[in-house]
Amino acid sequence: PQHEVLVLELGTNHPGEIERLGSIAEPQIGIITQIGLSHLEGLKSLEGVRTEKLSLLKTVERGGLIGLNGQDPLLADVKSGVHKIVRAGFSESDELSAKQIWCHEKGLSFHLDRFLDQTRGETTLFETQLIGRHNVLACLYAVMVGSALGVDFPLIQKGVASFRPVPGRLVLKTIEGVHFIDDTYNSNPTSFRAALDTLKEFKIRERKGVVCGDMLELGDRAEELHRQMGASIAALLFDYVIATGPLSRFLVDEALKNGFDPTRIRHAKDAAEAGRFLRETATPGDMVLVKGSRGTKMETVFECFTTSSTR
């Protein structure tokens, strides 16, 4: 009886699941965070992902709030005659936007550039323990929903600042002097690219490395998308890369084709072997992104630094 708000994630990997779950939840507010390259095995294409996610609008009550990613071109033309649509992003055209974004080793800070009439004279500065520029959008969605629910603005700021990263989702940890970005919970091309950009943003003198496993549930585009990530990794000029899984062979091959130094990239048979390779390669001060789909169990990499049995 003491609860006032229920927050639900509506997950999908096949057509029709969002509409079914939405009809059960009957939400007053719906947020579509992005249209990304995930679950293509069931949803087939980006357009399939878009169609599936937009089915949420069928279940949000009339007059309810629909929050959209203002940075996503696949959501740019979304309209509704029965909902209030609010876009979050980094441009002046967004109803809720962020400016003066600063990414650092302890998180993010930014200023709110919209909804200023709701600040009631308070500072517009937000700080969060989340890392990665893309997570500013996550904070903007929180501001959007909190404001819609009538939460006092300073309390929204406090909530954003106190939130701790979810395990396996871009969590910073240091083991034996090596700084890890633990993003092992899952992987797809969109989240992998965001994680690579996050690693690239860190201003350190020491080396940067990537340990990655296969991205799963990509259907017929699996080879193509792993090759695209290999080309991206080569362009970002990381100091070393260790990839594991059968699909990641395409990533390694494409990185080499794009000029990545063959002495700085290796393929491992599984996550445990990737961890042993990393232990041979990494030195204190290095920053290493560890990323892969759930089925690759990339958290095993850390065991090579914390337990003697896998060293």
Side-chain angles (χ1 to χ4, degrees):
Q2 72 271 24
H3 295 107
E4 299 177 36
V5 179
L6 176 64
V7 181
L8 298 170
E9 178 190 16
L10 306 187
T12 179
N13 61 13
H14 283 84
E17 292 184 332
I18 291 290
E19 186 171 357
R20 170 63 175 151
L21 293 171
S23 68
I24 295 170
E26 298 183 340
Q28 288 80 46
I29 298 173
I31 305 293
I32 299 178
T33 57
Q34 66 176 353
I35 307 299
L37 289 163
S38 61
H39 305 302
L40 298 185
E41 195 167 40
L43 299 174
K44 305 304 181 185
S45 65
L46 268 178
E47 184 56 38
V49 175
R50 180 181 185 275
T51 299
E52 172 67 0
K53 291 196 173 187
L54 286 179
S55 67
L56 177 67
L57 273 67
K58 300 177 184 178
T59 67
V60 175
E61 72 174 21
R62 294 176 66 89
L65 171 67
I66 301 291
L68 300 176
N69 183 337
Q71 302 298 114
D72 194 329
L74 291 174
L75 294 172
D77 63 349
V78 175
K79 298 178 182 178
S80 174
V82 297
H83 302 112
K84 178 183 179 181
I85 297 221
V86 177
R87 286 178 167 83
F90 309 125
S91 66
E92 293 184 359
S93 61
D94 297 315
E95 289 86 358
L96 179 60
S97 66
K99 64 179 182 179
Q100 299 177 33
I101 299 168
W102 181 39
C103 306
H104 51 88
E105 67 277 4
K106 293 185 179 180
L108 299 162
S109 65
F110 63 91
H111 280 269
L112 197 64
D113 197 29
R114 292 293 182 273
F115 281 14
L116 299 187
D117 58 318
Q118 298 192 31
T119 64
R120 301 181 181 87
E122 302 287 343
T123 174
T124 62
L125 175 65
F126 277 77
E127 295 180 330
T128 174
Q129 299 174 59
L130 298 172
I131 63 172
R133 181 183 174 90
H134 62 286
N135 270 322
V136 173
L137 284 170
C139 296
L140 292 180
Y141 301 137
V143 174
M144 183 190 302
V145 174
S147 297
L149 294 174
V151 180
D152 289 340
F153 193 77
L155 191 57
I156 297 176
Q157 290 172 305
K158 183 178 179 180
V160 169
S162 64
F163 178 76
R164 294 182 179 275
V166 178
R169 300 279 197 178
L170 291 179
V171 176
L172 290 171
K173 58 174 65 174
T174 301
I175 306 174
E176 295 190 9
V178 179
H179 307 299
F180 289 101
I181 301 177
D182 177 359
D183 203 28
T184 56
Y185 182 79
N186 215 340
S187 186
N188 61 58
T190 304
S191 68
F192 194 2
R193 180 68 205 209
L196 292 173
D197 288 342
T198 300
L199 174 61
K200 192 67 179 179
E201 285 174 352
F202 277 94
K203 304 296 188 291
I204 62 170
R205 294 180 179 179
E206 290 76 15
R207 300 182 303 167
K208 296 180 180 179
V210 176
V211 182
C212 57
D214 288 351
M215 301 177 290
L216 305 178
E217 294 188 36
L218 296 180
D220 295 339
R221 296 190 63 190
E223 177 179 343
E224 169 200 351
L225 293 169
H226 280 82
R227 288 191 178 279
Q228 286 182 13
M229 297 311 304
S232 295
I233 284 175
L236 290 168
L237 301 175
F238 294 118
D239 295 287
Y240 53 87
V241 175
I242 300 168
T244 179
L247 291 171
S248 290
R249 289 191 181 276
F250 300 122
L251 181 152
V252 172
D253 182 61
E254 198 64 27
L256 292 170
K257 286 181 178 179
N258 282 267
F260 201 89
D261 185 346
T263 65
R264 295 191 290 114
I265 188 167
R266 302 178 73 173
H267 186 270
K269 65 180 181 180
D270 56 29
E273 185 172 76
R276 290 192 290 271
F277 287 168
L278 178 62
R279 192 169 180 83
E280 298 168 5
T281 305
T283 56
D286 288 4
M287 178 165 281
V288 182
L289 168 67
V290 184
K291 176 81 170 166
S293 282
R294 187 84 303 273
T296 63
K297 299 181 179 179
M298 294 305 291
E299 64 274 10
T300 307
V301 169
F302 304 121
E303 295 176 9
C304 294
F305 286 79
T306 59
T307 64
S308 59
S309 60
T310 52
R311 291 181 182 177

